Amino acid sequence: MKQRHWLNFIDGKWCDSDARFELLNPATNQSIGTIAKASVSDAAAALAAARRCADSRLLSSVRPAERVKWMTRIAQEIRVLADEGAHVLCAENGKTVPEALDEFLEAARYFEYYGGMADKIEGVSIPLGNGYIDFTVYDPMGVSLQIVPWNFPVSICARALAPALAAGNAVVVKSPELSPLGICVLFEAIERAGLPDGAVNLLCGSGREIGSYLAARREVDQIVFTGSVPTGQTILKLAAENATPCVMELGGKSAALVFPDADLDQLIASVRMGIFFNAGQVCSAMSRLVVHRSIYDTVVSRVEDLATGLSVGNGADGNDLTPVITARQLNHIQQMCQRAQQEGAVLVTGGEALSDSQGNFLRPTIFKDVSPEMNIAQEEVFGPVLVIMPFDDEPEAITIANSTAFGLVAGVFTQDLNKAMRCARLLRSGQVFVNEWYAGGIEVPFGGVGLSGYGRERGQEALYSYVRTKNVAIKVAGE
Ligand code: NAD
């Protein structure tokens, strides 16, 4: 990728700033370019532009079919730029080009999906008897502040941006410092669709500086945050000052329950994606495998074979296991692995960095004989690290799965539908996968319970996070 200086997008224009971030390729730790670092005054300008756009009602008072056209055009333009964007995202984030391309195609799907709903946001009529007419309308929230993490920056950005625009909101996106460039390409596609100035604004700046500044502003009508628990908690405290409604998409420590009748080929394919896709840097990663004792040794051995068979290296060369985002994160994960061993977990494979590389590569890592109270079984690692725990009966499996403070997703592997349904009811999580990790798609609601957050993204349900209900009650004379 050619070195380039990237800009922020404020009030319909690409804008530079005095300061800049340098961006490193996690596979090489070489610079791939710079991006303007948005200041607090840039953030104020973006927020003012979004506020003006929301107050002008240019987005919300047009005939909804116009918003459908904008959304359709954006989806088309994303597809045009997807290949170029995939190479940029691969370089800044370390993922493979096909995985990066999938992010752009998923982003396009969000605009198609929510574009299809933009003219169907219908209220209801409520019968109150003679003398009254009563109905509800869904108004847009106004200005939606969307704070995005680095692990799937393009698709997560589109996940919130598309329903917000479909409902007629203006948006300020705060992109992640570590991987902001793919989102710039996404915005180049959006710019081509000709939205009113101020409808979408993009700021890459320090989370602590401009993220906090924006989250505390009264002019923000809603915050959609995707990221870590501590940052989410900070934002919630800032939002509390103005009672700003929030959607919180936070971390996870999700468990897959494996029963003796599970199809192990199906399971291993799910482990491959569940914990090693995107180097395990997935909020809904399968980070805990909870396996019936009768098949425990077999599963450990099959998962070990899977892990040791993966190629580890640069995503640009199509390797199976790509780098983690920074050298600091690599170091943090290794420390968690050391602590796991000190607490008595048995390292099956991995736990160490690739020695002959400049990049941030951790070998695929598996721990067995882990007990539920160990740190490695409780805390999100956000890397390619799987813990495998045994259970003896169904209630114990559920207890282990529900034993963390998180509750994003969970999985059940069994041929017995009754057992799968019993578990699905008892698992404390926002989504349950049966026999395939990541089954589902953008059409189904996604979000957590407990420390994994609240509110839902994806699916029809998510659209209603971006509107507020207004009721109109009319006294009709003479009835
Ligand atoms: P992070 O919390 O460090 O950063 C997320 C975003 O918040 C970034 O844009 C950052 O600049 C901003 N930020 C940081 N401090 C801020 C502050 N004080 N005020 C306002 N904004 C601030 O998270 P990360 O490391 O980018 O992402 C990894 C985390 O995100 C993991 O915990 C992962 O599980 C979670 N995640 C959740 C989902 C989901 O949908 N539930 C999806 C992806 C990632």
Side-chain angles (χ1 to χ4, degrees):
M1 194 182 100
K2 265 200 283 178
Q3 287 267 344
R4 182 178 152 187
H5 180 59
W6 300 73
L7 303 176
N8 294 301
F9 190 72
I10 302 172
D11 203 11
K13 288 176 261 331
W14 291 97
C15 305
D16 207 350
S17 190
D18 292 338
R20 52 183 56 192
F21 287 117
E22 176 153 41
L23 297 158
L24 302 182
N25 181 334
T28 60
N29 280 312
Q30 301 290 309
S31 172
I32 55 163
T34 53
I35 186 165
K37 179 184 178 199
S39 62
V40 167
S41 63
D42 294 327
L47 182 53
R51 188 72 265 164
R52 274 194 303 278
C53 181
D55 293 345
S56 74
R57 299 175 54 79
L58 277 172
L59 286 172
S60 57
S61 62
V62 290
R63 194 158 178 130
E66 288 304 309
R67 288 204 301 276
V68 178
K69 284 188 204 154
W70 275 322
M71 302 283 286
T72 308
R73 178 87 199 275
I74 291 171
Q76 286 165 349
E77 296 297 345
I78 293 172
R79 288 182 192 283
V80 171
L81 292 182
D83 275 322
E84 178 192 332
H87 284 90
V88 172
L89 183 56
C90 165
E92 67 172 334
N93 203 291
K95 55 185 78 198
T96 65
V97 174
E99 285 166 6
L101 183 61
D102 277 349
E103 274 209 48
F104 278 89
L105 299 182
E106 184 166 300
R109 279 286 297 132
Y110 279 118
F111 282 92
E112 287 160 357
Y113 181 80
Y114 288 108
M117 291 175 70
D119 56 354
K120 300 172 191 70
I121 308 174
E122 297 168 355
V124 294
S125 151
I126 300 170
L128 292 179
N130 274 355
Y132 294 96
I133 296 173
D134 190 286
F135 61 93
T136 58
V137 290
Y138 289 116
D139 288 335
M141 303 293 279
V143 173
S144 175
L145 168 63
Q146 309 189 340
I147 302 180
V148 180
W150 50 263
N151 60 332
F152 293 97
V154 173
S155 57
I156 288 177
C157 183
R159 181 173 87 179
L161 192 45
L165 286 177
N169 296 280
V171 181
V172 176
V173 171
K174 209 305 271 164
S175 64
E177 300 91 314
L178 294 174
S179 187
L181 305 186
I183 301 179
C184 292
V185 178
L186 178 70
F187 267 68
E188 286 171 5
I190 295 172
E191 184 187 14
R192 294 180 182 188
L195 292 170
D197 288 349
V200 292
N201 302 273
L202 174 63
L203 299 165
C204 180
S206 147
R208 280 189 193 174
E209 215 174 281
I210 66 161
S212 301
Y213 165 81
L214 289 165
R217 303 299 301 176
R218 277 182 71 181
E219 301 91 321
V220 168
D221 296 302
Q222 174 210 35
I223 301 173
V224 182
F225 173 73
T226 309
S228 64
V229 172
T231 310
Q233 290 165 330
T234 303
I235 289 171
L236 281 172
K237 286 175 197 151
L238 295 169
E241 282 298 308
N242 301 308
T244 309
C246 295
V247 174
M248 286 279 142
E249 293 283 3
L250 309 177
K253 190 74 189 177
S254 302
L257 307 185
V258 186
F259 288 93
D261 62 346
D263 176 330
L264 292 191
D265 291 336
Q266 221 169 17
L267 172 72
I268 295 301
S270 279
V271 173
R272 163 70 184 88
M273 290 310 287
I275 191 65
F276 298 126
F277 165 58
N278 212 39
Q281 301 166 119
V282 184
C283 52
S284 48
M286 180 208 280
S287 49
R288 295 182 295 149
L289 205 51
V290 186
V291 182
H292 192 266
R293 204 176 292 279
S294 64
I295 54 165
Y296 187 75
D297 290 340
T298 309
V299 169
V300 169
S301 150
R302 296 247 351 223
V303 174
E304 180 181 5
D305 288 348
L306 166 75
T308 51
L310 296 175
S311 64
V312 184
N314 198 330
D317 302 329
N319 282 290
D320 298 322
L321 193 77
T322 51
V324 298
I325 192 74
T326 56
R328 189 158 169 250
Q329 174 66 0
L330 176 62
N331 189 31
H332 170 70
I333 298 173
Q334 286 179 282
Q335 282 174 10
M336 286 188 80
C337 291
Q338 281 159 13
R339 178 165 172 189
Q341 287 171 277
Q342 284 156 9
E343 290 182 7
V346 175
L347 182 67
V348 177
T349 184
E352 54 181 11
L354 272 197
S355 52
D356 54 350
S357 167
Q358 299 297 307
N360 315 317
F361 296 101
L362 184 82
R363 290 190 187 283
T365 300
I366 297 161
F367 284 102
K368 68 173 181 176
D369 299 345
V370 172
S371 51
E373 69 285 353
M374 288 179 188
N375 178 267
I376 199 77
Q378 288 291 322
E379 296 301 326
E380 185 179 47
V381 176
F382 224 54
V385 178
L386 177 68
V387 300
I388 313 185
M389 298 183 268
F391 72 86
D392 289 306
D393 58 23
E394 209 176 298
E396 188 190 8
I398 298 287
T399 303
I400 295 172
N402 290 347
S403 68
T404 76
F406 297 101
L408 195 51
V409 302
V412 188
F413 289 80
T414 177
Q415 300 303 307
D416 179 345
L417 191 57
N418 294 321
K419 188 178 289 182
M421 290 304 299
R422 275 199 305 276
C423 292
R425 261 201 310 277
L426 295 173
L427 285 164
R428 183 174 172 270
S429 68
Q431 190 172 16
V432 178
F433 304 128
V434 177
N435 290 334
E436 187 186 74
W437 203 261
Y438 302 136
I442 71 163
E443 302 86 351
V444 304
F446 176 77
V449 302
L451 282 189
S452 292
Y454 57 81
R456 293 293 177 264
E457 293 277 48
R458 297 181 156 189
Q460 292 193 31
E461 194 173 323
L463 187 73
Y464 295 91
S465 304
Y466 297 88
V467 290
R468 37 179 148 234
T469 308
K470 180 184 281 172
N471 180 262
V472 182
I474 305 169
K475 173 80 183 105
V476 183
E479 278 200 33

